[in-house]
Amino acid sequence: MITNVVTGILIPFVGTAAGAACVFFTKHELKMGVQQALLGFAGGVMAAASVWSLILPAIEQSASMGRLSFLPAAAGFWGGILFLMLLDHIIPRLNISDRMPEESTGRLSKTAMLVLAVTLHNIPEGMAVGAVYAGYLSDSADITAGVAFALAMGIGIQNFPEGAIISMPLHAEKKSRCRAFAGGVLSGAVEPIAAVITVFLAGSIIPAMPYMLSFAAGAMIYVVVEELIPEMNEGKHSNTGAVMFAAGFTIMMTLDVALG
């Protein structure tokens, strides 16, 4: 069980590192079609996981509240949404298609702001992985190892282009490939840290589990709606993103029902 948890927590970080490694193999950014497919698939996985892996287990854990069992899930969900809205207000919103955040400041270079944006936006994704694995460890949230693994894979896929858009601009600014790769890898290091902290907090406060699961769901839905869906539709009109979103949603739903 512990091996499954450690592996799952590290998957999103591996996705970021794999994307950052693109700096060793190509001088150009990922093709738009590839980005759309990756972001669409990851968005579908994260949307389905938010419902089946996080919100529904949160409601089931509050079944003792009867008709009000939705309250912890609703409160946690809005907590996740508002947390991400606050985060977006404090830092620039990540824009994968432009490889730059929405705003910049004279104190930091645009690339430094991009690294900061990616790093801070990885925190709630790490919390989501931590929350679902905390539910798996608690044996009280109807979350299986397969479902938790599928969620971690979805976030890992989404992190792949993020790692690439960190390392490639760094290399373009005359950084060595190794230093550019290290910058991309470090931007994802916050995810396993946030995941481990969430697991320990949830494990010590079991009654808070419904709130933590739904908080993670709210954070992920915000990322999907605010970032992934717009970015998978960038550029020339294509159905690639929508088709891959549907595929990711279907696969995650199927895994959750079949494995859960």
Side-chain angles (χ1 to χ4, degrees), residues 37-112:
L38 288 173
L39 294 175
F41 184 84
V45 169
M46 292 168 70
S50 296
V51 177
W52 276 275
S53 300
L54 298 172
I55 293 177
L56 291 182
I59 293 174
E60 290 171 2
Q61 282 198 312
S62 305
S64 61
M65 298 177 66
R67 294 183 178 181
L68 298 179
S69 60
F70 67 90
L71 284 179
F77 182 82
W78 272 101
I81 293 288
L82 294 175
F83 177 76
L84 264 291
M85 290 178 65
L86 176 63
L87 198 61
D88 273 349
H89 179 72
I90 296 174
I91 63 171
R93 188 173 72 83
L94 177 63
N95 191 318
I96 289 178
S97 61
D98 293 338
R99 299 192 308 166
M100 291 297 168
E102 284 183 340
E103 300 171 359
S104 62
T105 175
R107 296 181 180 179
L108 295 174
S109 68
K110 289 183 177 180
T111 301

Side-chain angles (χ1 to χ4, degrees), residues 43 53 63 130 165 169 171 176 179-180 200 231 256:
S53 300
I165 64 168
H171 182 55
S176 68
R179 290 186 64 184
F200 278 109
E231 288 159 5
D256 200 301

Side-chain angles (χ1 to χ4, degrees), residues 155-216:
I155 294 179
I157 292 170
Q158 185 238 333
N159 285 349
F160 183 87
E162 288 186 0
I165 64 168
I166 291 295
S167 63
M168 291 182 179
L170 286 175
H171 182 55
E173 289 190 353
K174 309 303 181 183
K175 304 289 185 183
S176 68
R177 292 183 188 273
C178 289
R179 290 186 64 184
F181 170 71
V185 170
L186 288 176
S187 71
V190 69
E191 288 202 34
I193 295 174
V196 170
I197 292 174
T198 303
V199 168
F200 278 109
L201 287 178
S204 60
I205 314 175
I206 295 298
M209 185 69 71
Y211 296 94
M212 300 192 74
L213 290 173
S214 53
F215 179 93

Side-chain angles (χ1 to χ4, degrees), residues 189-256:
V190 69
E191 288 202 34
I193 295 174
V196 170
I197 292 174
T198 303
V199 168
F200 278 109
L201 287 178
S204 60
I205 314 175
I206 295 298
M209 185 69 71
Y211 296 94
M212 300 192 74
L213 290 173
S214 53
F215 179 93
M220 289 209 302
I221 288 295
Y222 185 90
V223 170
V224 171
V225 173
E226 187 73 6
E227 298 180 9
L228 300 189
I229 291 178
E231 288 159 5
M232 77 183 195
N233 290 313
E234 288 284 348
K236 185 179 178 181
H237 175 70
S238 171
N239 292 323
T240 300
V243 171
M244 292 303 293
F245 182 96
F249 189 96
T250 303
I251 290 173
M252 185 65 207
M253 176 181 66
T254 303
L255 287 174
D256 200 301

